[in-house]
Amino acid sequence: MNADPILRPSPISASVDFDADGIQHGHLRLPWSRDDSAWGSVVIPITVVKHGEGPTALLTGANHGDEYEGPIALFDLARTLRTGDVSGRVIIVPALNYPAFRAARRTSPIDKGNLNRSFPGRPDGNVTEKIADYVTRCLLPQADIVLDFHSGGRTLDFLPYAAAHELPDKAQEDRCFAAVAAFSAPWSMRMIEIDAVGMFDTIAETAGKVFVTTELGGGGTATARSAGIAKRGVANLLRHAGILAGQPEIGETRWLDMPSSDCFGFSPEEGLVEFLKDLGELVAKNEVVARIYPIGRTGASPYEHRAALDGLLAARHFPGLIKAGDCLSVIATIEDHA
Ligand SMILES: [Zn+2]
């Protein structure tokens, strides 16, 4: 009989001691045998800061390798955080899917793995599944609060928002949305997912953690504004958790909701995209949000994509060309209350 894979130890070893006081900069080493390195490894940077009594925050960036606000904020935090600043523990992994991050790709060039569709992972799976398994079984159980940074990557662009999901446990949901409010991005979202299976979010929420995610921009880069939102947000979240002293710097945030899967617009056509609305603009139900021109001939009418609900444009396809089935737009509704 096969052993239950969940009982196997993770092949990843950490050079840091999660229980040691002080600040440690180290690596998670995942054996990766290949042509150019028979006994080689994937080495994922990690920082652990532990001091005094308090909760543990797990902060992760580059779950998708082409999303940069998280890595910028977390590499910066790892170099600037001082032991004496912390009450509790901060575990920082700025580039969680490190092979994807180095390749500037959403998914891993090693195995094509999409880390945020690979949870809970497998200790005997591919490289991406082994990273997911290590997070699930080694990092997540140590955490009270989890912040997993995302942005749109190369193919999407978002209004900058922090987000949490509706949860069956309303007390946990309240804690998650309180943490979103403390992050204090310009926008705050009650988010639904196209397909939540395999996501870090789902695993962390099922484990009862306070989980915050973000979508802070996109297009495969970060701006001064979006990186600043990420830096302020993570500091605010640590203050909210009591790990850093002081109160969060709360700015104005507007709450958005994704009330149903009607929010997501997908392109039925391949072609050239013309958006008639920009991010943050109001749209009315049935209003044309974008045109898609066929590119193989002239004289043809473009496909017109119409909004399925009243709201505002919260996310859009980023590249100028689109394929059938690509996500074209996300229309969110504006909430009057937090
Ligand atoms: Zn992402």
Side-chain angles (χ1 to χ4, degrees), residues 41-126:
S41 312
V42 171
V43 279
I44 304 169
I46 184 170
T47 291
V48 180
V49 186
K50 184 171 184 291
H51 178 252
E53 295 298 313
T56 293
L58 172 61
L59 311 174
T60 52
N63 180 332
H64 292 132
D66 62 348
E67 303 172 4
Y68 295 100
E69 286 81 2
I72 291 169
L74 296 181
F75 274 112
D76 188 60
L77 183 70
R79 80 180 174 89
T80 54
L81 201 56
R82 297 289 168 258
T83 304
D85 298 339
V86 169
S87 297
R89 183 169 54 174
V90 185
I91 302 172
I92 306 170
V93 188
L96 189 57
N97 193 346
Y98 190 71
F101 178 67
R102 279 203 65 202
R105 299 172 66 96
R106 181 173 180 84
T107 60
S108 175
I110 298 173
D111 51 33
K112 306 295 184 197
N114 180 340
L115 180 57
N116 215 27
R117 301 294 182 274
S118 299
F119 282 86
R122 295 168 57 96
D124 58 352
N126 62 30

Side-chain angles (χ1 to χ4, degrees), residues 213-228:
T213 188
T214 68
E215 297 289 359
L216 292 177
T221 191
T223 65
R225 177 174 184 244
S226 65

Side-chain angles (χ1 to χ4, degrees), residues 81-169:
L81 201 56
R82 297 289 168 258
T83 304
D85 298 339
V86 169
S87 297
R89 183 169 54 174
V90 185
I91 302 172
I92 306 170
V93 188
L96 189 57
N97 193 346
Y98 190 71
F101 178 67
R102 279 203 65 202
R105 299 172 66 96
R106 181 173 180 84
T107 60
S108 175
I110 298 173
D111 51 33
K112 306 295 184 197
N114 180 340
L115 180 57
N116 215 27
R117 301 294 182 274
S118 299
F119 282 86
R122 295 168 57 96
D124 58 352
N126 62 30
V127 164
T128 305
E129 291 168 328
K130 286 171 178 170
I131 295 171
D133 170 68
Y134 185 82
V135 173
T136 301
R137 291 195 297 149
C138 299
L139 296 183
L140 188 59
Q142 303 186 68
D144 301 293
I145 184 164
V146 180
L147 170 59
D148 185 39
F149 278 106
H150 288 262
S151 302
R154 289 190 297 185
T155 65
L156 291 170
D157 196 14
F158 285 85
L159 282 182
Y161 64 77
H165 302 100
E166 290 188 14
L167 298 174
D169 179 340

Side-chain angles (χ1 to χ4, degrees), residues 147-322:
L147 170 59
D148 185 39
F149 278 106
H150 288 262
S151 302
R154 289 190 297 185
T155 65
L156 291 170
D157 196 14
F158 285 85
L159 282 182
Y161 64 77
H165 302 100
E166 290 188 14
L167 298 174
D169 179 340
K170 293 303 169 189
Q172 182 192 5
E173 179 186 301
D174 287 348
R175 290 195 295 275
C176 292
F177 281 106
V180 168
F183 187 101
S184 196
W187 304 86
S188 300
M189 181 74 86
R190 298 181 71 86
M191 195 172 183
I192 61 171
E193 302 293 342
I194 293 172
D195 180 8
V197 174
M199 294 181 67
F200 184 17
D201 313 48
T202 308
I203 293 296
E205 289 160 353
T206 303
K209 308 300 180 182
V210 174
F211 185 87
V212 175
T213 188
T214 68
E215 297 289 359
L216 292 177
T221 191
T223 65
R225 177 174 184 244
S226 65
I229 293 166
K231 288 182 183 184
R232 190 186 70 165
V234 66
N236 275 345
L237 201 64
L238 293 174
R239 294 184 190 112
H240 172 74
I243 296 172
L244 290 181
Q247 294 299 314
E249 295 173 12
I250 301 296
E252 186 183 351
T253 193
R254 298 199 65 189
W255 285 82
L256 300 173
D257 194 5
M258 293 162 69
S260 77
S261 59
D262 286 347
C263 295
F264 301 106
F266 297 93
S267 177
E269 309 274 354
E270 171 184 356
L272 168 69
V273 184
E274 177 191 10
F275 276 94
L276 304 185
K277 299 286 180 178
D278 284 321
L279 290 178
E281 278 195 70
L282 296 174
V283 292
K285 184 176 180 177
N286 290 324
E287 196 174 2
V288 179
V289 176
R291 297 179 179 137
I292 300 174
Y293 291 88
I295 55 175
R297 58 202 160 100
T298 54
S301 296
Y303 165 76
E304 293 187 331
H305 177 73
R306 294 175 184 275
L309 67 168
D310 292 335
L312 60 72
L313 187 64
R316 52 155 281 185
H317 182 78
F318 186 77
L321 299 180
I322 197 163

